[in-house]
Amino acid sequence: MSNASAVYAKTFRQLHAPGQMLRLANAWDAGSARLIESCGAPAIATTSAGLAWSRGYADGNFLPPRVLAAAIAEITRVLSHAIPELVGGAP
């Protein structure tokens, strides 16, 4: 894991501190992820239903893996703090 990624991972772990409420906004595509990040969110989650429906598939394991991988690649490409190693990209 690269040094920058290690810092992001440590920061993400710290968001899970006892007594601290972790709020994660759910992105469904690159545009929503970028908007959430621009509003100052410290971390972003993805919504399975939102991601599936935004790609034209029902929720519940109907989204083909290749379509899911493409969607995650699009989302991580527009974020300034994505951790490539955690989403299958190169460091």
Side-chain angles (χ1 to χ4, degrees), residues 35-82:
L35 177 64
I36 293 165
E37 182 182 58
S38 72
C39 290
I44 301 170
T46 56
T47 165
S48 64
L51 220 157
W53 286 113
S54 73
R55 299 293 173 152
Y57 294 90
D59 191 23
N61 296 322
F62 293 104
L63 186 65
R66 64 178 173 70
V67 177
L68 174 60
I72 296 303
E74 292 167 5
I75 289 170
T76 58
R77 186 184 70 242
V78 301
L79 297 176
S80 61
H81 296 300

